[in-house]
Amino acid sequence: MNQRWPDEVPKARLGALATLPVFFRLVGKPVLLAGGGDGAAWKAELLAATGAQVRVFAVDAGEKMRQVAQEIAGLEIVPRAWTPADFEGCALAVGDVSSDAEGLLFRDAARLAGVPVNVVDRPALCDFQFGSIVERSPVVIGISTDGAAPVFGQEIRARIEAVLPQGLRAWAQAAKAWRPAVMARNLDFRTRRRFWERFTRRAMEQADLPPQDADLSALLAALDADVGAGPARGSVVLVGAGPGDPDLLTVKAVRALQSADVVLYDDLVSPRTVNAARREATRIAVGKRGYKPSCTQEDITALIVSLAREGKRVVRLKGGDPMIFGRAGEEIAGVLAAGLPLEIIPGVTAAAGAAASLGLSLTERETARRVQFITAHARNGRLPDDLAWAALTDPRATTVVYMGVKTLPHLVERLLAEGLDPQTPGIVVERATWPDERRIVGTIVELPGKVAQAKPAGPCLVLIGAALACVPLTRDRVF
Ligand code: SAH
């Protein structure tokens, strides 16, 4: 299992698909349905709803089927058993059969005629299956568990039902109706896309208000303003990716990733987090780890600016929170100097992630009145000389040290010399919030030796302070 710090470039490939969800237009097409029972009646109704010409072969159609046939045009009951000739020219065939043997015959007859077939409740005989449906037509959502557990599929359906407003139907219909007016303007791809992005935002924000002609006018006016403003401008979003667990991305971060053209990410960002990006987005690793000459901070800033100048929506995905030890200042200055629009989306900083997974409050009413985040790594790689020692030896402080493993022995030595109690508890958390998170626990005096033994290879935080005495150390994953 690859739970180690991942080196590989994240891929946007699809995993294996049990089935291919396709949306089949059936208007006016003949569909063969065998069976006259209640199950078949429901299938008949479903198929007829697509506008198909449904021919139901049933020697003895039940009451429900007769009722459906009466109410729905395009549904005809043929009061006899199906024959192989009936498959001729059909788009689909569905058989609600009474035995495996009949199912097999039905399947073979369909195959011979080249018609895709579904035999109800006999997945092994099916070319295609019916999913659970969320209907906001023309928006149609199909859900399949590939027969694994229909009840599970129904629950998923219920959840999607709950979050999708009914009014989406009207907005999707409006999209169809307004499309010709947008196309008639002969806009380039990006401008057209901006129209549909604005449309989508409006549809989502006011889904339950019916779309009006005034909405179209407003959207077109915004488009004209864009066209007057010249070619599409790119933009930059600095996004906090959190400490590792992809579920710690904010909703805003996911939205930004979903509309990115390019994602520049650094080493601390997990592949699954990067893959929250739009499938089509270009992903570029710009890690500074290993100090590759191609990825200096200057290069990264220059790359961000040049991509945005090309009109791209650039997401700069940074580990933790972008504004904490992330050199965001240089990127912000570069983007603003280039006159490009900039947005910043905060993330869960490593200290917050570690505190949560330790079950530790960084502040305690009596014992920890100060929380301080420091870096123990100066430009030259050594312990910075100008740290605020009085603050760091404050017995009522919790100190979180970023980039502090290499210089830990020096830091501890200096803290003791400055008067910190040698019994002060300390914890090193490696890869906080990752599945293979590790903790190294001891007094501040013991910590450097234990770290040397444990040889952490991933990113680590050093936490120091009396508050750490409250960590429930009985939990697993303690070194
Ligand atoms: N902006 C980031 C910090 C970047 S500096 C944030 O807000 O978290 C990089 C340092 O952050 C690492 O050397 C390490 O000290 C710390 N760090 C980042 N992710 C971490 C994680 N999952 N576990 C422990 N420390 C982490």
Side-chain angles (χ1 to χ4, degrees), residues 243 268 319-321 324-325 349-350 402-403 429 431-432 434 459-461:
L268 295 179
D321 181 83
I324 294 176
F325 301 128
T349 191
Y402 287 69
M403 294 170 276
V429 185
R431 286 193 279 267
W434 285 74
C460 288
L461 285 182

Side-chain angles (χ1 to χ4, degrees), residues 13 34 90 92 97 146-147 155 157 192 240 253 285 332 344 367 378 427:
R13 301 244 168 83
C90 286
L92 296 175
V97 296
D146 193 31
E155 172 63 23
R157 175 182 158 270
R192 225 166 40 224
I332 293 166
I344 298 165
T367 52
I427 301 183

Side-chain angles (χ1 to χ4, degrees), residues 221-299:
L223 203 60
D224 290 338
D226 282 348
V227 173
R233 273 209 315 168
S235 60
V236 178
V237 196
L238 300 191
V239 175
D245 178 351
D247 289 349
L248 291 175
L249 277 174
T250 63
V251 174
K252 257 195 168 179
V254 173
R255 278 198 202 123
L257 285 164
Q258 284 290 311
S259 57
D261 293 317
V262 185
V263 179
L264 307 178
Y265 63 95
D266 58 35
D267 306 298
L268 295 179
V269 179
S270 75
R272 262 186 60 208
T273 305
V274 178
N275 277 337
R278 194 160 68 94
R279 186 163 288 284
E280 299 79 10
T282 308
R283 294 138 161 86
I284 306 176
V286 292
K288 292 194 282 289
R289 249 174 166 227
Y291 307 98
K292 287 165 252 161
S294 57
C295 282
T296 63
Q297 184 58 55
E298 292 69 30
D299 289 338

Side-chain angles (χ1 to χ4, degrees), residues 130-155:
F130 291 88
S132 305
I133 297 172
V134 178
E135 187 268 310
R136 304 280 186 279
S137 191
V139 177
V140 178
I141 300 169
I143 301 149
S144 162
T145 58
D146 193 31
V151 175
F152 190 26
Q154 284 153 17
E155 172 63 23

Side-chain angles (χ1 to χ4, degrees), residues 32-44 47 55-60 62 65 82 87 93-100 102-104 106-107 117-122 125-126 130:
L32 184 154
L33 177 64
D38 286 0
W42 159 236
K43 288 285 189 297
L47 290 164
R55 299 188 78 203
V56 183
F57 291 86
V59 183
D60 190 12
M65 181 66 92
W82 59 272
F87 288 85
V94 179
D96 189 8
V97 296
S98 51
S99 69
D100 284 347
E102 191 194 345
L104 210 57
F106 187 82
R107 197 267 317 260
V117 64
N118 173 283
V119 183
V120 177
D121 290 337
R122 287 175 173 79
L125 299 178
C126 290
F130 291 88

Side-chain angles (χ1 to χ4, degrees), residues 354 357-360 405 408 412 422-430 437-456 460-479:
S357 88
L358 287 169
L360 164 80
V405 164
L408 183 61
V412 170
Q423 292 307 309
T424 308
I427 301 183
V428 171
V429 185
E430 181 190 10
E437 174 186 308
R438 278 205 302 173
R439 298 104 182 242
I440 304 163
V441 180
T443 62
I444 187 74
V445 176
E446 296 164 343
L447 215 50
K450 289 192 167 187
V451 168
Q453 231 185 321
K455 295 194 186 60
C460 288
L461 285 182
V462 183
L463 292 90
I464 301 167
L468 307 190
C470 304
V471 172
L473 293 182
T474 50
R475 287 181 45 174
D476 59 352
R477 294 190 290 177
V478 174
F479 182 69

Side-chain angles (χ1 to χ4, degrees), residues 44-111:
E45 199 175 341
L46 177 65
L47 290 164
T50 66
Q53 292 295 323
V54 187
R55 299 188 78 203
V56 183
F57 291 86
V59 183
D60 190 12
E63 193 190 324
K64 189 149 178 227
M65 181 66 92
R66 289 201 304 275
Q67 193 185 344
V68 169
Q70 235 168 34
E71 287 169 8
I72 301 177
L75 208 157
E76 173 201 356
I77 298 180
V78 185
R80 62 167 170 82
W82 59 272
T83 68
D86 297 322
F87 288 85
E88 190 71 30
C90 286
L92 296 175
V94 179
D96 189 8
V97 296
S98 51
S99 69
D100 284 347
E102 191 194 345
L104 210 57
L105 282 174
F106 187 82
R107 197 267 317 260
D108 290 347
R111 290 248 169 108

